[in-house]
Coordinates of all heavy atoms in Angstrom, one line a residue:
I27 N 14.5 22.2 35.3 CA 13.5 21.5 34.6 C 12.9 20.5 35.6 O 13.6 19.9 36.4 CB 14.0 20.7 33.4 CG1 14.6 21.7 32.4 CG2 12.9 19.8 32.8 CD1 15.2 21.1 31.2
G28 N 11.6 20.3 35.6 CA 11.0 19.3 36.5 C 10.2 20.0 37.5 O 10.3 21.3 37.7
D29 N 9.5 19.3 38.3 CA 8.7 19.8 39.3 C 8.8 18.9 40.6 O 8.4 17.8 40.6 CB 7.2 19.9 38.8 CG 6.3 20.7 39.7 OD1 6.6 20.8 40.9 OD2 5.4 21.3 39.2
K30 N 9.5 19.5 41.6 CA 9.8 18.7 42.8 C 8.6 18.1 43.5 O 8.6 17.1 44.1 CB 10.6 19.5 43.8 CG 11.9 20.0 43.2 CD 12.9 18.9 43.2 CE 14.3 19.4 42.8 NZ 15.2 18.5 42.3
R31 N 7.4 18.8 43.4 CA 6.2 18.3 44.1 C 5.7 17.0 43.5 O 4.9 16.4 44.1 CB 5.2 19.4 44.1 CG 4.6 19.7 42.7 CD 3.6 20.9 42.8 NE 3.4 21.3 41.4 CZ 2.4 22.0 41.1 NH1 1.5 22.4 42.0 NH2 2.2 22.4 39.9
F32 N 6.1 16.7 42.3 CA 5.7 15.4 41.7 C 6.7 14.3 41.9 O 6.5 13.2 41.4 CB 5.4 15.6 40.2 CG 4.2 16.4 39.8 CD1 4.4 17.7 39.3 CD2 3.0 15.9 40.1 CE1 3.3 18.4 39.0 CE2 1.8 16.7 39.8 CZ 2.0 18.0 39.3
G33 N 7.7 14.6 42.7 CA 8.7 13.5 43.1 C 9.4 12.9 41.9 O 9.9 13.6 41.0
D34 N 9.4 11.6 41.8 CA 10.1 10.9 40.8 C 9.4 10.8 39.5 O 9.9 10.2 38.5 CB 10.4 9.5 41.2 CG 11.5 9.5 42.4 OD1 12.2 10.4 42.5 OD2 11.5 8.5 43.2
V35 N 8.1 11.3 39.4 CA 7.4 11.2 38.1 C 8.0 12.2 37.1 O 8.1 11.8 35.9 CB 5.9 11.6 38.4 CG1 5.1 11.6 37.1 CG2 5.3 10.6 39.4
V36 N 8.4 13.4 37.5 CA 9.0 14.3 36.6 C 10.4 14.5 37.1 O 10.6 15.1 38.2 CB 8.2 15.6 36.5 CG1 9.0 16.6 35.6 CG2 6.8 15.4 36.1
M37 N 11.4 14.1 36.3 CA 12.8 14.2 36.8 C 13.4 15.5 36.2 O 13.2 15.9 35.1 CB 13.6 13.0 36.3 CG 13.1 11.7 36.8 SD 14.1 10.3 36.3 CE 14.2 10.5 34.5
S38 N 14.3 16.1 37.0 CA 15.0 17.3 36.6 C 16.4 17.0 36.0 O 17.0 17.8 35.5 CB 15.1 18.3 37.7 OG 15.9 17.7 38.8
K39 N 16.8 15.7 36.2 CA 18.1 15.3 35.7 C 17.9 14.3 34.6 O 17.3 13.2 34.8 CB 19.0 14.7 36.8 CG 19.4 15.7 37.8 CD 20.3 15.2 38.8 CE 20.6 16.2 39.9 NZ 21.5 15.7 40.9
P40 N 18.3 14.6 33.4 CA 18.1 13.6 32.2 C 19.0 12.4 32.3 O 20.1 12.5 32.8 CB 18.4 14.5 31.0 CG 19.4 15.5 31.5 CD 19.0 15.8 32.9
D41 N 18.6 11.3 31.7 CA 19.5 10.2 31.4 C 20.3 10.7 30.2 O 19.8 11.2 29.2 CB 18.7 9.0 31.0 CG 18.0 8.4 32.3 OD1 18.5 8.6 33.4 OD2 16.9 7.8 32.1
V42 N 21.6 10.4 30.2 CA 22.5 10.9 29.2 C 23.2 9.7 28.6 O 23.7 8.8 29.3 CB 23.5 11.9 29.7 CG1 24.5 12.4 28.6 CG2 22.7 13.1 30.2
Y43 N 23.3 9.6 27.3 CA 24.0 8.6 26.6 C 24.9 9.2 25.5 O 24.6 10.2 24.9 CB 23.0 7.6 25.9 CG 22.0 7.0 26.8 CD1 20.8 7.6 27.1 CD2 22.4 5.8 27.5 CE1 19.9 7.0 27.9 CE2 21.5 5.2 28.4 CZ 20.2 5.8 28.6 OH 19.4 5.2 29.5
N44 N 26.1 8.6 25.3 CA 27.0 8.9 24.3 C 26.9 7.9 23.2 O 27.0 6.7 23.5 CB 28.4 9.0 24.8 CG 28.6 10.1 25.8 OD1 28.0 11.1 25.8 ND2 29.5 9.8 26.8
I45 N 26.7 8.3 22.0 CA 26.5 7.3 20.9 C 27.4 7.7 19.7 O 27.6 8.9 19.5 CB 25.1 7.2 20.4 CG1 24.5 8.5 19.9 CG2 24.2 6.6 21.5 CD1 23.1 8.3 19.2
Q46 N 27.9 6.8 19.0 CA 28.5 7.0 17.7 C 27.5 6.9 16.6 O 26.8 6.0 16.5 CB 29.6 6.0 17.5 CG 30.5 6.2 16.2 CD 31.3 7.5 16.4 OE1 31.8 7.8 17.4 NE2 31.6 8.1 15.3
V47 N 27.4 8.0 15.8 CA 26.3 8.1 14.8 C 26.8 7.2 13.6 O 27.8 7.4 13.1 CB 26.1 9.5 14.4 CG1 25.0 9.6 13.3 CG2 25.6 10.3 15.6
R48 N 25.9 6.3 13.2 CA 26.2 5.5 12.0 C 25.2 5.7 10.9 O 25.2 5.1 9.9 CB 26.1 4.0 12.4 CG 27.1 3.6 13.5 CD 26.9 2.1 13.8 NE 25.5 1.8 14.1 CZ 25.1 0.9 15.0 NH1 26.0 0.1 15.5 NH2 23.9 0.7 15.2
Y49 N 24.4 6.7 11.1 CA 23.4 7.0 10.1 C 23.5 8.4 9.6 O 24.1 9.3 10.2 CB 22.0 6.8 10.7 CG 21.8 5.4 11.2 CD1 21.9 5.1 12.5 CD2 21.5 4.4 10.3 CE1 21.7 3.8 13.0 CE2 21.4 3.1 10.8 CZ 21.5 2.8 12.1 OH 21.3 1.5 12.6
E50 N 23.0 8.7 8.4 CA 23.1 10.0 7.8 C 22.0 10.9 8.3 O 22.2 12.1 8.5 CB 22.9 9.9 6.3 CG 23.2 11.1 5.5 CD 23.1 10.9 4.0 OE1 22.9 9.7 3.6 OE2 23.3 11.9 3.3
Y51 N 20.8 10.4 8.6 CA 19.7 11.2 9.1 C 19.0 10.5 10.3 O 18.9 9.3 10.4 CB 18.6 11.3 8.0 CG 19.1 12.0 6.7 CD1 19.5 11.3 5.6 CD2 19.2 13.4 6.7 CE1 19.9 11.9 4.5 CE2 19.6 14.0 5.5 CZ 20.0 13.3 4.4 OH 20.4 13.9 3.3
L52 N 18.4 11.4 11.1 CA 17.4 11.0 12.1 C 16.1 11.6 11.6 O 16.0 12.8 11.4 CB 17.7 11.5 13.5 CG 16.6 11.4 14.5 CD1 16.3 9.9 14.8 CD2 17.0 12.1 15.8
V53 N 15.1 10.8 11.4 CA 13.8 11.3 10.8 C 12.7 10.9 11.8 O 12.5 9.8 12.2 CB 13.5 10.6 9.5 CG1 12.2 11.2 8.9 CG2 14.6 10.9 8.5
I54 N 11.9 11.9 12.2 CA 10.8 11.8 13.1 C 9.6 12.3 12.4 O 9.6 13.4 11.9 CB 11.0 12.6 14.4 CG1 12.3 12.1 15.1 CG2 9.8 12.4 15.3 CD1 12.7 13.1 16.2
V55 N 8.6 11.4 12.3 CA 7.3 11.8 11.6 C 6.1 11.5 12.4 O 6.2 10.6 13.3 CB 7.2 11.1 10.2 CG1 8.3 11.4 9.3 CG2 7.0 9.6 10.4
S56 N 5.1 12.2 12.2 CA 3.8 12.0 12.9 C 3.0 10.9 12.2 O 3.4 10.5 11.1 CB 3.0 13.2 13.0 OG 2.5 13.6 11.7
D57 N 2.0 10.4 12.8 CA 1.2 9.4 12.2 C 0.5 9.8 10.9 O 0.1 9.0 10.0 CB 0.1 8.8 13.1 CG -0.9 9.8 13.5 OD1 -0.7 11.0 13.4 OD2 -2.0 9.3 14.0
G58 N 0.4 11.1 10.7 CA -0.2 11.7 9.4 C 0.7 11.3 8.2 O 0.3 11.3 7.1
V59 N 2.0 11.0 8.5 CA 2.9 10.6 7.5 C 3.1 9.1 7.5 O 2.9 8.5 6.4 CB 4.3 11.3 7.7 CG1 5.3 10.8 6.6 CG2 4.2 12.8 7.7
S60 N 3.3 8.5 8.6 CA 3.6 7.1 8.7 C 2.3 6.2 8.4 O 2.5 5.1 8.1 CB 4.2 6.7 10.1 OG 3.2 7.0 11.1
D61 N 1.2 6.8 8.5 CA -0.1 6.1 8.1 C -0.2 5.8 6.6 O -0.9 4.9 6.2 CB -1.3 6.8 8.7 CG -1.5 6.6 10.2 OD1 -0.8 5.7 10.8 OD2 -2.4 7.2 10.7
V62 N 0.5 6.7 5.8 CA 0.3 6.6 4.4 C 1.6 6.3 3.7 O 1.6 6.0 2.5 CB -0.3 7.9 3.8 CG1 -1.7 8.2 4.3 CG2 0.6 9.1 4.1
M63 N 2.7 6.3 4.4 CA 4.0 6.0 3.7 C 4.8 5.0 4.6 O 4.8 5.1 5.8 CB 4.9 7.2 3.6 CG 4.3 8.3 2.7 SD 5.3 9.8 2.6 CE 6.7 9.1 1.7
R64 N 5.4 4.0 3.9 CA 6.3 3.0 4.7 C 7.6 3.7 5.1 O 8.0 4.7 4.4 CB 6.6 1.8 3.8 CG 5.3 1.0 3.5 CD 5.7 -0.3 2.7 NE 6.6 -0.1 1.6 CZ 6.2 0.3 0.3 NH1 5.0 0.5 0.1 NH2 7.1 0.5 -0.6
S65 N 8.2 3.2 6.0 CA 9.5 3.7 6.5 C 10.5 3.8 5.4 O 11.3 4.8 5.2 CB 10.1 2.9 7.6 OG 9.3 3.0 8.8
S66 N 10.5 2.8 4.5 CA 11.5 2.7 3.4 C 11.2 3.9 2.4 O 12.1 4.5 1.9 CB 11.5 1.4 2.7 OG 10.2 1.1 2.2
Q67 N 9.9 4.2 2.2 CA 9.5 5.3 1.3 C 10.0 6.6 1.9 O 10.5 7.5 1.2 CB 8.0 5.3 1.1 CG 7.4 4.2 0.3 CD 5.9 4.3 0.2 OE1 5.3 4.3 1.2 NE2 5.4 4.4 -1.0
I68 N 9.8 6.8 3.2 CA 10.2 8.0 3.8 C 11.7 8.2 3.8 O 12.2 9.2 3.4 CB 9.7 8.0 5.3 CG1 8.2 8.0 5.4 CG2 10.3 9.2 6.1 CD1 7.6 7.7 6.8
A69 N 12.5 7.1 4.0 CA 13.9 7.2 4.0 C 14.4 7.5 2.6 O 15.3 8.4 2.4 CB 14.5 5.8 4.4
E70 N 13.8 6.9 1.5 CA 14.2 7.2 0.2 C 14.0 8.7 -0.2 O 14.8 9.3 -0.8 CB 13.5 6.3 -0.8 CG 13.9 4.8 -0.8 CD 13.1 4.0 -1.7 OE1 12.3 4.5 -2.5 OE2 13.1 2.7 -1.4
L71 N 12.8 9.1 0.2 CA 12.4 10.5 0.0 C 13.3 11.5 0.7 O 13.8 12.5 0.1 CB 11.0 10.7 0.4 CG 10.3 12.0 -0.1 CD1 10.4 12.2 -1.6 CD2 8.9 12.1 0.4
V72 N 13.7 11.2 1.9 CA 14.6 12.1 2.7 C 15.9 12.2 2.0 O 16.5 13.3 1.8 CB 14.7 11.6 4.1 CG1 15.9 12.3 4.8 CG2 13.4 11.8 4.9
R73 N 16.5 11.0 1.6 CA 17.7 11.0 0.8 C 17.6 11.8 -0.5 O 18.5 12.6 -0.8 CB 18.2 9.6 0.6 CG 18.7 8.9 1.8 CD 19.4 7.6 1.4 NE 19.5 6.8 2.6 CZ 18.7 5.8 3.0 NH1 17.7 5.4 2.2 NH2 18.9 5.2 4.1
A74 N 16.6 11.6 -1.2 CA 16.4 12.2 -2.5 C 16.3 13.7 -2.4 O 16.7 14.5 -3.3 CB 15.2 11.7 -3.3
L75 N 15.7 14.2 -1.3 CA 15.4 15.6 -1.1 C 16.5 16.2 -0.2 O 16.3 17.3 0.4 CB 14.0 15.8 -0.5 CG 12.9 15.4 -1.4 CD1 11.6 15.5 -0.7 CD2 12.9 16.3 -2.7
D76 N 17.6 15.5 0.1 CA 18.7 16.0 0.9 C 18.3 16.4 2.2 O 18.8 17.4 2.7 CB 19.5 17.0 0.1 CG 20.9 17.3 0.7 OD1 21.5 16.3 1.2 OD2 21.4 18.4 0.7
G77 N 17.4 15.7 2.8 CA 17.0 16.0 4.2 C 16.1 17.2 4.4 O 15.9 17.7 5.5
D78 N 15.4 17.7 3.3 CA 14.6 18.8 3.4 C 13.2 18.4 4.0 O 12.3 17.9 3.3 CB 14.4 19.5 2.0 CG 13.6 20.8 2.1 OD1 12.8 21.0 3.0 OD2 13.7 21.5 1.1
A79 N 13.0 18.6 5.3 CA 11.8 18.2 5.9 C 10.5 18.8 5.3 O 9.5 18.2 5.2 CB 11.8 18.5 7.4
R80 N 10.6 20.1 5.0 CA 9.4 20.8 4.4 C 9.0 20.1 3.1 O 7.9 19.9 2.8 CB 9.7 22.2 4.2 CG 8.4 23.0 3.6 CD 8.6 24.4 3.6 NE 8.6 24.8 5.0 CZ 8.7 26.1 5.4 NH1 8.9 27.0 4.6 NH2 8.6 26.4 6.7
A81 N 10.0 19.8 2.2 CA 9.8 19.1 0.9 C 9.2 17.7 1.1 O 8.3 17.3 0.4 CB 11.0 19.1 0.1
V82 N 9.7 17.0 2.2 CA 9.1 15.7 2.5 C 7.6 15.8 2.8 O 6.8 15.1 2.3 CB 9.9 15.0 3.6 CG1 9.2 13.7 4.0 CG2 11.3 14.7 3.2
N83 N 7.3 16.8 3.7 CA 5.9 17.0 4.1 C 5.1 17.5 2.9 O 3.9 17.0 2.7 CB 5.9 18.0 5.2 CG 4.6 17.9 6.0 OD1 4.0 16.8 6.2 ND2 4.0 19.0 6.4
D84 N 5.6 18.4 2.1 CA 4.9 18.8 0.9 C 4.6 17.7 -0.1 O 3.5 17.6 -0.6 CB 5.6 19.9 0.1 CG 5.7 21.2 0.9 OD1 4.9 21.4 1.9 OD2 6.5 22.1 0.5
Y85 N 5.5 16.8 -0.2 CA 5.3 15.6 -1.1 C 4.2 14.8 -0.5 O 3.3 14.3 -1.2 CB 6.6 14.8 -1.2 CG 6.4 13.5 -1.9 CD1 6.5 13.4 -3.3 CD2 6.1 12.3 -1.2 CE1 6.4 12.2 -4.0 CE2 5.9 11.1 -1.9 CZ 6.1 11.1 -3.3 OH 5.9 9.9 -3.9
R86 N 4.2 14.5 0.8 CA 3.2 13.7 1.4 C 1.8 14.3 1.2 O 0.8 13.7 0.9 CB 3.5 13.6 2.9 CG 2.7 12.6 3.7 CD 1.3 13.0 3.9 NE 0.8 13.7 5.1 CZ -0.4 14.2 5.0 NH1 -1.2 14.2 4.0 NH2 -0.9 14.7 6.1
M87 N 1.7 15.6 1.4 CA 0.4 16.3 1.2 C -0.1 16.2 -0.2 O -1.2 16.1 -0.5 CB 0.6 17.8 1.6 CG 1.0 18.0 3.0 SD -0.3 18.0 4.2 CE -1.0 19.6 3.9
A88 N 0.8 16.3 -1.2 CA 0.5 16.3 -2.6 C 0.1 14.9 -3.1 O -0.9 14.7 -3.9 CB 1.6 16.8 -3.5
Q89 N 0.8 13.9 -2.6 CA 0.6 12.5 -3.0 C -0.6 11.8 -2.3 O -1.2 10.9 -2.8 CB 1.8 11.7 -2.9 CG 3.0 12.2 -3.8 CD 2.6 12.0 -5.2 OE1 2.1 11.0 -5.7 NE2 2.9 13.1 -6.0
F90 N -0.8 12.1 -1.0 CA -1.7 11.4 -0.2 C -2.7 12.4 0.4 O -2.6 12.7 1.6 CB -1.0 10.6 0.9 CG 0.1 9.7 0.3 CD1 1.4 10.1 0.4 CD2 -0.3 8.5 -0.2 CE1 2.4 9.2 -0.1 CE2 0.7 7.6 -0.7 CZ 2.0 8.0 -0.7
A91 N -3.6 12.9 -0.3 CA -4.6 13.8 0.2 C -5.4 13.2 1.3 O -6.2 12.3 1.0 CB -5.5 14.3 -1.0
Q92 N -5.2 13.6 2.5 CA -6.0 13.1 3.6 C -6.1 14.3 4.5 O -5.4 15.3 4.4 CB -5.4 11.9 4.3 CG -4.1 12.2 5.0 CD -3.5 11.0 5.7 OE1 -3.4 10.0 5.1 NE2 -3.2 11.2 6.9
H93 N -7.0 14.2 5.5 CA -7.3 15.3 6.3 C -6.6 15.2 7.7 O -7.0 15.9 8.6 CB -8.8 15.4 6.5 CG -9.5 15.6 5.2 ND1 -9.3 16.7 4.4 CD2 -10.5 14.9 4.6 CE1 -10.1 16.6 3.3 NE2 -10.8 15.5 3.4
D94 N -5.6 14.4 7.8 CA -4.8 14.3 9.0 C -3.7 15.3 8.9 O -3.1 15.5 7.9 CB -4.3 12.9 9.2 CG -3.8 12.6 10.6 OD1 -3.9 13.5 11.4 OD2 -3.3 11.4 10.8
N95 N -3.3 15.9 10.1 CA -2.2 16.8 10.1 C -0.9 15.9 10.0 O -0.9 14.7 10.3 CB -2.2 17.7 11.3 CG -2.1 16.9 12.6 OD1 -2.2 15.7 12.6 ND2 -2.1 17.6 13.7
S96 N 0.2 16.5 9.6 CA 1.5 15.8 9.5 C 2.6 16.7 10.0 O 2.6 17.9 9.8 CB 1.7 15.3 8.1 OG 1.8 16.4 7.2
S97 N 3.6 16.0 10.5 CA 4.8 16.7 11.0 C 6.0 15.9 10.5 O 6.0 14.6 10.6 CB 4.9 16.9 12.5 OG 3.8 17.7 12.9
V98 N 7.1 16.5 10.1 CA 8.3 15.9 9.7 C 9.5 16.7 10.3 O 9.5 17.9 10.2 CB 8.5 15.8 8.2 CG1 9.8 15.1 7.8 CG2 7.3 15.1 7.5
V99 N 10.3 15.9 11.0 CA 11.6 16.5 11.6 C 12.7 15.7 11.0 O 12.7 14.5 11.2 CB 11.6 16.5 13.1 CG1 12.9 17.1 13.6 CG2 10.4 17.3 13.7
V100 N 13.7 16.4 10.4 CA 14.9 15.7 9.9 C 16.1 16.3 10.5 O 16.3 17.5 10.5 CB 14.9 15.8 8.4 CG1 16.2 15.1 7.8 CG2 13.7 15.2 7.7
V101 N 17.0 15.4 11.1 CA 18.3 15.9 11.6 C 19.3 15.2 10.7 O 19.3 14.0 10.6 CB 18.4 15.4 13.1 CG1 19.8 15.8 13.6 CG2 17.3 16.0 14.0
K102 N 20.1 16.0 10.1 CA 21.2 15.5 9.3 C 22.5 15.5 10.0 O 22.9 16.5 10.6 CB 21.4 16.3 8.0 CG 22.4 15.8 7.0 CD 22.4 16.5 5.7 CE 23.4 15.9 4.8 NZ 23.4 16.5 3.5
F103 N 23.2 14.3 10.1 CA 24.4 14.2 10.8 C 25.6 14.3 9.9 O 25.5 13.9 8.7 CB 24.5 12.8 11.5 CG 23.4 12.6 12.5 CD1 22.4 11.7 12.4 CD2 23.5 13.3 13.7 CE1 21.5 11.4 13.3 CE2 22.5 13.1 14.7 CZ 21.5 12.2 14.5
D104 N 26.7 14.9 10.4 CA 27.9 14.9 9.6 C 28.5 13.5 9.7 O 28.3 12.8 10.6 CB 28.9 15.9 10.2 CG 28.4 17.4 10.0 OD1 27.7 17.7 9.1 OD2 28.8 18.2 10.9
E105 N 29.2 13.2 8.6 CA 29.9 11.9 8.6 C 30.8 11.7 9.7 O 31.6 12.6 10.1 CB 30.6 11.7 7.3 CG 31.2 10.3 7.0 CD 31.8 10.2 5.7 OE1 31.4 10.8 4.7 OE2 32.8 9.4 5.6
G106 N 30.7 10.6 10.4 CA 31.6 10.3 11.6 C 31.3 11.0 12.8 O 32.1 11.1 13.8
A107 N 30.1 11.7 12.9 CA 29.8 12.5 14.1 C 29.5 11.6 15.3 O 29.1 10.4 15.1 CB 28.5 13.3 13.8
S108 N 29.7 12.1 16.4 CA 29.3 11.4 17.7 C 28.5 12.4 18.5 O 28.7 13.6 18.5 CB 30.5 10.9 18.4 OG 31.3 12.0 18.9
L109 N 27.5 11.9 19.2 CA 26.7 12.7 20.1 C 27.1 12.5 21.5 O 27.2 11.3 22.0 CB 25.2 12.4 19.9 CG 24.7 12.5 18.5 CD1 23.2 12.0 18.4 CD2 24.8 13.9 18.0
Q110 N 27.3 13.5 22.2 CA 27.7 13.4 23.6 C 27.0 14.4 24.5 O 26.5 15.4 24.0 CB 29.2 13.7 23.8 CG 30.1 12.7 23.0 CD 31.6 13.1 23.1 OE1 31.9 14.0 23.9 NE2 32.4 12.3 22.4
G111 N 26.8 14.1 25.7 CA 26.1 15.0 26.6 C 26.7 14.8 28.0 O 27.5 13.9 28.3
S112 N 26.2 15.6 28.9 CA 26.6 15.4 30.3 C 25.3 15.6 31.2 O 24.3 16.1 30.8 CB 27.6 16.4 30.7 OG 27.1 17.8 30.5
G113 N 25.4 15.1 32.4 CA 24.3 15.1 33.3 C 24.3 13.9 34.2 O 25.4 13.4 34.5
S114 N 23.2 13.5 34.7 CA 23.2 12.4 35.7 C 23.5 11.1 34.9 O 23.1 10.9 33.8 CB 21.9 12.3 36.4 OG 20.8 12.0 35.5
Q115 N 24.1 10.2 35.6 CA 24.4 8.9 35.0 C 23.7 7.8 35.8 O 23.5 7.8 36.9 CB 25.9 8.6 35.1 CG 26.7 9.6 34.2 CD 26.5 9.3 32.8 OE1 26.4 8.2 32.3 NE2 26.6 10.4 32.0

């Protein structure tokens, strides 16, 4: 990954962090969602729909008819999970 001809602008070695997960979900939304819903609304909906990203997006489309595109990504973590990786430090 990366392109050596661009030097330090594009790196081929990622920064890696180990974290203990304290949350049930990681939710990433585009501005087509965040422009019409508050973070708390999105969080409540994700929990109510058990993390179903498609259902969250369908709800947004039905409730807030607008002509902006929208994307929803939901990552559900197992209880007590930790994320680890390796690479450059």
Side-chain angles (χ1 to χ4, degrees):
I27 299 176
D29 195 328
K30 298 286 185 201
R31 67 184 166 162
F32 290 111
D34 292 335
V35 176
V36 178
M37 298 183 309
S38 62
K39 294 183 180 179
D41 291 329
V42 177
Y43 301 93
N44 297 326
I45 60 169
Q46 185 67 32
V47 177
R48 299 180 305 209
Y49 302 99
E50 189 175 357
Y51 298 101
L52 167 66
V53 182
I54 303 168
V55 300
S56 67
D57 66 340
V59 178
S60 61
D61 283 350
V62 296
M63 297 178 70
R64 293 186 313 276
S65 295
S66 59
Q67 289 176 302
I68 297 167
E70 289 174 19
L71 192 57
V72 167
R73 285 188 197 102
L75 296 172
D76 196 32
D78 185 339
R80 180 171 291 179
V82 172
N83 200 38
D84 290 347
Y85 174 87
R86 191 287 265 169
M87 300 275 285
Q89 295 297 314
F90 306 99
Q92 68 177 50
H93 301 300
D94 194 1
N95 60 357
S96 62
S97 298
V98 179
V99 176
V100 177
V101 178
K102 184 174 183 178
F103 296 112
D104 291 331
E105 188 175 330
S108 63
L109 302 178
Q110 300 178 4
S112 60
S114 67
Q115 295 288 327

